[in-house]
Amino acid sequence: MKNRTPEEGLTALTDDAERNRLLAEMAEQSTDMISRHTPEDWRFIYVSPAVTHLLGYTVEEMVGLSAYDLYHPDDVEDFRLRAPTVNYDRGLYTHTYRFRCKDGHYTWLESTSRTIRDPDTNDIREILVVSRDATHRIKADKASRRLARVLESTQDLVIFANLDFTVSHLNEAARKALELEHTDYSAFPLSWFVTEKGLATLMDEGFPAARKKGNWRGELTMRSLKSARIPVMLELLAHRSLHGDIEYFSLVAHDLTEKKAAEEQLKQYQADIDHASRLVTMGELASSLAHELNQPLSAMVNYLRGIERRFADKPTLSWGDVELPITRSIRTALRAGEIIHRMMDFTRKQEPVITRLNLPELISEMIDFCENMAERLNVRIVFEPPSDLPAVRGDKIQLEQVLLNLIVNAIEASASTDDEDVTTVRINVLPHETGQLRVEVEDDGKGISEEDMSRLFDRFFSTKETGLGMGLAISRSLVENLGGELWAENIPAGGARFSFTLNTTD
């Protein structure tokens, strides 16, 4: 090494002093805590004033203390044994740990340290450390890890998509449902996992709404890599940067397969119950229907026997001789056929068909259907519909079921054993305040007790000794499915009134 002249040595000393002064000034003003420690027990030789802000101690209180005395007990061994929380890179150790503050609580610090060695002996003279508060980062890391665990453990399908609508990440449930457990799905287009209709919904509604409002929610159908269809309730979220730009999208899909299957099973169960209810109602009308069928059949027999008696001994006949009795026989046969056809339609099991219906015409048909029962029980049915009523929307068989239940109940409630005492069932149709049509069926019975009124529409509750308790419950369900309401009330003058509303086609 070249020997320095006295002037060069003086200049070097001056430069070192200036550099040390500047370093000391930086240390004093830094928000990071800068400290020097002994190599054996890590006692503080020096600490910058930032220690007061970070830990609450004064500089004087820290000098002489061992860092090991301030470590959280769980972190001491990690540091001594150079656990994974201690990183080494090009002579610098970086360590994240908990340090005890003066008030007793622990705060997270991240420290970078390096050893200062004697140039002659290479022995460690001291350790220089720069420490900063890592509390917010540690909390954020923990929150991210918790969210990641939730993300992987949830049964919902979670998909992260890039701005070009390619997939960047799937959680375990999504990988399994979409059959991608052993496939590199990165950069797969999102369109591979949504049906054509579902993709159109996302592009036309979902992504525009997410860009504008931040989220969108709707039902659509996804599909796996092998084309298995998965009905889902999807939540689409747009994730923005600090500057407000959208960075990526996430899709959280709740599998509705079981729910849809349960709904379909419930729908089938409801259809079975409705069908059974119609059969029960038909059973209640059996004797009246038998009488109604007996009349045209007896008439046909009488017409044909009359022809037999009148023309048995005549060798030839003209059409004029038999036209009247045969024409009457045909008409009565057609009437009997209509009755049977109506019974078959009413008891047939079929899917609902919503059509435009003439309500007064439908009510008149049901009144005709119940006429014989009403006569047998000394009940008169009165129905005078107003003119120019709008058509209603509904399924013909279901509305017949509702009307038949209410009319039969009203007839039975009004029944009289005295042939001289004829009671009345009144049916009215009038506009409702909601814009719907309201149908009222009023009886001349005893009314409904307060106790029965609260349970009237419960399944399996009946005021009849032989009733199944399904008619009113099913009727209310059918009316509500069509967007209407069904309710009951007592009439002050006596009797009860059952009312229901229906949507019109206007």
Side-chain angles (χ1 to χ4, degrees), residues 163 210-212 214 238-248:
L163 297 182
R211 285 190 177 96
K212 185 177 180 181
H239 300 270
R240 298 182 181 273
S241 67
L242 294 176
H243 302 292
D245 300 324
I246 296 177
E247 293 184 317
Y248 61 93

Side-chain angles (χ1 to χ4, degrees), residues 262 277 282 299 412 481:
S277 177
M282 193 57 63
E412 292 180 341
N481 287 340

